[in-house]
Amino acid sequence: MLNFFFAELRRNWIMLRRYPLQALSSTVLMLILFMTLLGGIRYVAGPAQQFGDRLDTLIVGYVLWNTLIFAMGEISGGLQGEAKIGTLEQLFLSPLSGTRVFLLRALAAQTVTIAFNVVTLGFLLLITRTTLHFPPGLFIPLASALAACYGLGLVLGSLALVFKRVEAVIQISQFGLITLVMVPFETWQGGSVNPYYLLPLVPSAALLRDLMVRGQSLDPAVLLVALLNGTVYLVLGSLVFRWAERTTKQQGLLGTY
């Protein structure tokens, strides 16, 4: 399994070296979109509006969203791409299960993408003249967020296996992802338990805001909820993907497009 991961990591590195303009243009596009979003917000709020830590929260949510939409769309996009060129069945002949194959491919691609998102984050901090906290503990909620997002990606991949053309569904899910990672649900808590933490990614995004924007330490209770959230959605996504794989194989639709 490790050999497969490093092979995919090497493949992504080769693709990056051969097509550097694609990665560079994606980074520039992220910067332009953020500055456009920020300019629109400032225009609506008026020149006298003081953002406080809301600008920092916006930056964290925006970079996290860009990181997670790639994680969520990589599996379904990869499935559709392999189906178009006729190599989908070859991947499912691997000694590894289909779930592991596409998860490892997505994880390898995500490793390269995170490096570019870190560079983008640096540019955003420089342009907006803001500062964030980067404690070592932030990797734990980031990992739980990626786990939940891969679970959602496996569900979208299941739809791609069964229905083949799901571009519109992927686009809708990307906009839904904005709500999950950019809205501060932790401030909407009602009672002793926050019911919004049942939604995917919400507790992980709340922890990242606490760590990077507010400079707080990890809340053990919320951290446990975030880890459970990521694990549950990853397991559910894996189960749905296995069902879709079994169904398409039984119907003889795996290699069709």
Side-chain angles (χ1 to χ4, degrees):
M1 191 162 63
L2 285 177
N3 290 334
F4 182 85
F5 172 77
F6 286 116
E8 282 294 324
L9 193 61
R10 182 171 178 268
R11 183 179 71 89
N12 280 275
W13 173 246
I14 292 173
M15 294 289 289
L16 178 63
R17 288 192 305 169
R18 291 185 178 179
Y19 307 102
L21 184 60
Q22 176 69 18
L24 180 61
S25 59
S26 298
T27 303
V28 173
L29 179 61
M30 283 180 60
L31 293 173
I32 293 175
L33 286 176
F34 179 81
M35 297 311 297
T36 303
L37 174 65
L38 181 60
I41 293 175
R42 282 178 170 171
Y43 176 78
V44 173
Q49 177 66 39
Q50 299 296 323
F51 287 96
D53 65 354
R54 294 180 182 179
L55 180 57
D56 301 348
T57 302
L58 180 64
I59 293 174
V60 171
Y62 180 76
V63 176
L64 180 62
W65 174 66
N66 276 278
T67 302
L68 295 180
I69 59 172
F70 181 87
M72 187 172 63
E74 176 66 16
I75 296 176
S76 56
L79 277 164
Q80 292 182 98
E82 297 292 341
K84 286 181 180 179
I85 62 179
T87 56
L88 185 60
E89 288 180 313
Q90 297 178 23
L91 290 176
F92 282 94
L93 291 175
S94 168
L96 299 175
S97 64
T99 306
R100 291 184 179 182
V101 166
F102 284 98
L103 275 178
L104 289 173
R105 292 187 73 178
L107 186 59
Q110 188 73 55
T111 304
V112 178
T113 304
I114 286 178
F116 280 94
N117 285 338
V118 170
V119 174
T120 304
L121 176 60
F123 277 113
L124 290 177
L125 295 179
L126 183 63
I127 293 171
T128 58
R129 298 180 181 180
T130 57
T131 57
L132 295 174
H133 303 276
F134 296 93
L138 66 87
F139 291 102
I140 303 176
L142 179 59
S144 65
L146 286 173
C149 207
Y150 284 136
L152 298 177
L154 286 170
V155 173
L156 292 177
S158 304
L159 296 177
L161 274 179
V162 177
F163 298 105
K164 309 305 179 185
R165 298 292 298 270
V166 292
E167 290 87 350
V169 177
I170 295 174
Q171 293 174 1
I172 293 173
S173 63
Q174 289 176 350
F175 285 107
L177 197 63
I178 297 179
T179 304
L180 295 175
V181 302
M182 298 191 71
V183 175
F185 287 102
E186 65 272 15
T187 62
W188 296 4
Q189 181 172 350
S192 58
V193 179
N194 193 332
Y196 296 103
Y197 285 170
L198 296 176
L199 298 174
L201 305 169
V202 170
S204 302
L207 283 175
L208 287 172
R209 282 189 289 267
D210 287 341
L211 291 172
M212 300 180 69
V213 178
R214 306 179 183 103
Q216 300 177 1
S217 58
L218 282 172
D219 186 330
V222 181
L223 178 61
L224 178 60
V225 173
L227 293 174
L228 288 174
N229 185 285
T231 302
V232 167
Y233 280 101
L234 181 60
V235 171
L236 289 176
S238 301
L239 293 175
V240 173
F241 189 86
R242 290 178 181 176
W243 168 83
E245 178 183 352
R246 184 172 60 252
T247 300
T248 51
K249 286 181 178 179
Q250 289 174 351
Q251 296 177 356
L253 299 176
L254 183 61
T256 60
Y257 178 69

